[in-house]
Amino acid sequence: MGIMYGDGDRLGPPRRDCMCYLGPPTTLMPIGMRKSPEVSPRRLSDISPQLRQLKYLVVDESIKEDLKSSRSVEDINSASIEERILRITGYYGYQPWNAVYKREDRPRENIVGTADGQAMVGGAGAESGTGRQKLNCCVRVTAVQVRKAIWGVAMVMCVCSSWAGSTQLAKLTFKQYDAPFTLTWFATTWNCLFFPLYYIGHLCKSPERQTPKQRFRECCRFFGDDGLTAKVFFTKVAPFGLLWIMTNYLYLQALRKINSTDVSALFCCNKAFVFLLSWIVLRDRFMGVRIVAAILAIAGIVMLTYADGFHSHSVIGITLVVASASASALYKVLFKLVLGSAKFGEAALFLTIVGGANFVFMSFVPVILYFTHVEYFTSIVDLPWAYLCGVAGLLLAFNILVNFGIAITYPTLISLGIVLSVPVNATIDVLKHEVIFSVVRLAATCIICLGFLLLLLPEEWDTVTLRFLTTLADKKTEEHGEELTESSVHTRSRSRANGAVSIPMA
């Protein structure tokens, strides 16, 4: 059977040796093509005039207008070479310039356009859904950060007030009962409340509630597979208990020699000592800014010593505070070296064991001091129990906030509360105890606080700062480039408007 082509000439059946096989019809026929039953492939010699039109299918301004009525220019440019041949030659009845085809194919295009529109609407809906999810995620993250910041402000105030309050109350206690070791023993015994308070919080928060015995056994795994044994106690717990008692005792002894402001400022040097010991013992990362902070701390110590003279009684107090800060730093570094990092329950259990061991093994020391009249009191009733319980309670609150405060806020804010206790103590000393600060003493206190603040910088602070400055510089460059582009566009438009020539009518 022959085939019909535009002018109505009938041709014989094509010979096999003259057929142009471009592949199977299923692979050549694009989507949307209609296969005409009355049409069969024609010879290459008959379609040679149409093949010449391929050169116009490259984006050519002269043919774009003609192509708009049949197919879009983007369709032509994205089509393969076989599809271009089919479009020009009318292969399989594909005649884009035929008016009949246009009328028949138009509904198809409308259907395709409708489908595309639906796909676009679906894509837009998906994009809007993704955008909403991102927005909700950003809002959620922002809310968490705001909540942490609010808790951080409250935590700073609590840490500052508890540390400054315990220092001032201890100073007042020594006016009525001069017994620094007994006060240390009494305050350390209150550490036995750590694990019970933690267990109450566990019952309120944790969905899986355990009995105290189960929770105790689980937290004892912190000490090893065998739990808390006698060997573990004497090798891993008792030394830290001694360091704890030494830190507090030296701090209270220093309060008997110098004012509260100097003691609280000098104790801030413990963070510099922690860095130096971590760098030496734990092989922590070397940071130049923390070396500068350590130098500032040492300089502040020297300046405070120089303020009252190197031969005055205040030198003893300064030495005691520096020794207390060193013991505190040694406690933290050795804890990380021997025991590693502890969870909240494990830390609570450890401090409870320290408090219990202090009560059991160190109770004989206050008794000896009493009978030797070193720390003597007439009767138990005459003791300032309000001050004693106040100091012990504030120290317990301070240690709870420092150890467990990171669960609700940033550790940096907790450390900030410690350094803010220095101006609080200075204000109380000036207003209540009428302490006069010299210029050297004020400068030394400020230098120590500055060193403490430098130690609060994170390890990646330099990288983060450089990245922020680079981003800021890039934004300024982009804004400057946009301004230059806008100014050049305005200049060109003005020059075009001023350069327009009017042609007079003949």
Side-chain angles (χ1 to χ4, degrees), residues 364-424:
F364 70 94
V365 179
V367 175
I368 294 175
L369 294 176
Y370 171 78
F371 285 108
T372 56
H373 287 262
V374 176
E375 295 183 359
Y376 183 78
F377 56 91
T378 55
S379 66
I380 297 178
V381 180
D382 294 335
L383 290 175
W385 287 108
Y387 289 161
L388 291 174
C389 293
V391 173
L394 287 174
L395 285 176
L396 177 65
F398 172 78
N399 288 308
I400 290 175
L401 293 172
V402 169
N403 286 280
F404 304 137
I406 57 175
I408 58 176
T409 187
Y410 303 102
T412 304
L413 295 178
I414 298 175
S415 300
L416 191 62
I418 299 175
V419 73
L420 288 179
S421 65
V422 177
V424 172

Side-chain angles (χ1 to χ4, degrees), residues 297-336:
I298 296 172
I301 295 171
V302 174
M303 290 178 67
L304 275 177
T305 308
Y306 171 76
D308 292 330
F310 290 99
H311 301 288
S312 62
H313 67 281
S314 62
V315 176
I316 300 175
I318 293 172
T319 305
L320 291 172
V321 182
V322 173
S324 174
S326 302
S328 175
L330 186 63
Y331 173 93
K332 295 177 181 179
V333 174
L334 288 180
F335 187 92
K336 190 174 182 181

Side-chain angles (χ1 to χ4, degrees), residues 215-228 232 236-237 240 331 334-351 353:
R215 198 63 191 164
F216 178 81
R217 287 180 177 177
E218 185 175 343
C219 293
C220 280
R221 296 176 185 174
F222 172 66
F223 300 104
D225 296 333
D226 299 331
L228 183 62
V232 170
K236 294 185 178 181
V237 179
F240 293 103
Y331 173 93
L334 288 180
F335 187 92
K336 190 174 182 181
L337 178 66
V338 176
L339 298 173
S341 58
K343 299 178 181 178
F344 295 127
E346 296 167 350
L349 178 62
F350 180 83
L351 293 174
I353 295 172

